Amino acid sequence: MRLVFLVLLLVILGGLAWIRLAPSDPAVWHVDPKVTADQDLAAGVRRRIAAGDDGFARLHAIILETPRTEVLAGSVAEGQVTYITRSLWMGFPDYTTVRQNGDVLELWARARFGQSDLGVNRARVDDWLGRL
């Protein structure tokens, strides 16, 4: 019985380590968001917003103020950035790609693991856009 418990504990710890340490390949996550309309998805959200010339730079600053958020790939100067935001306790990564398309910003936030993000990406993106 003790051996079963130890094996189960190792499997759980290994899974948690994988969630935190799994590499994030920019070729997979730093892609065109292809946002045609606002959408609330089970594991993410897509948004379009008119932002003007300096909107991307302002949004970039807001996003980088978010705890546990960093740039995966891209830059404002390139016109597209993908960010990783990790959850506090479990370290689940969520990816948000922001693309400048003329005067419009296109955002696609999505979870890497699971079928649902419980609305976390929608709340985060809507907060960023509200602050913008």
Side-chain angles (χ1 to χ4, degrees):
M1 187 58 132
R2 185 174 181 188
L3 181 61
V4 171
F5 174 75
L6 288 175
V7 169
L8 183 61
L9 181 63
L10 286 174
V11 168
I12 291 170
L13 291 175
L16 293 175
W18 174 251
I19 288 168
R20 284 214 178 256
L21 302 174
S24 297
D25 184 358
V28 173
W29 298 103
H30 186 61
V31 295
D32 184 346
K34 299 180 182 176
V35 179
T36 57
D38 288 355
Q39 294 176 295
D40 293 334
L41 310 167
V45 66
R46 293 177 194 241
R47 294 286 186 262
R48 288 177 54 91
I49 184 170
D53 293 335
D54 67 339
F56 197 171
R58 290 184 298 132
L59 182 60
H60 179 72
I62 291 168
I63 291 172
L64 291 180
E65 291 173 354
T66 305
R68 300 171 309 282
T69 299
E70 60 186 29
V71 172
L72 172 66
S75 70
V76 173
E78 292 174 21
Q80 181 170 311
V81 180
T82 298
Y83 307 89
I84 303 174
T85 304
R86 293 191 174 272
S87 64
L88 178 61
W89 296 107
M90 302 297 284
F92 283 101
D94 291 331
Y95 299 88
T96 304
T97 301
V98 180
R99 179 182 167 127
Q100 181 86 44
N101 187 357
D103 287 344
V104 175
L105 293 178
E106 301 173 342
L107 292 85
W108 179 27
R110 63 258 190 223
R112 176 173 182 170
F113 298 107
Q115 299 298 315
S116 172
D117 69 355
L118 304 174
V120 171
N121 281 299
R122 179 178 58 240
R124 182 184 310 113
V125 167
D126 289 347
D127 176 62
W128 290 340
L129 296 179
R131 292 170 50 199
L132 180 63

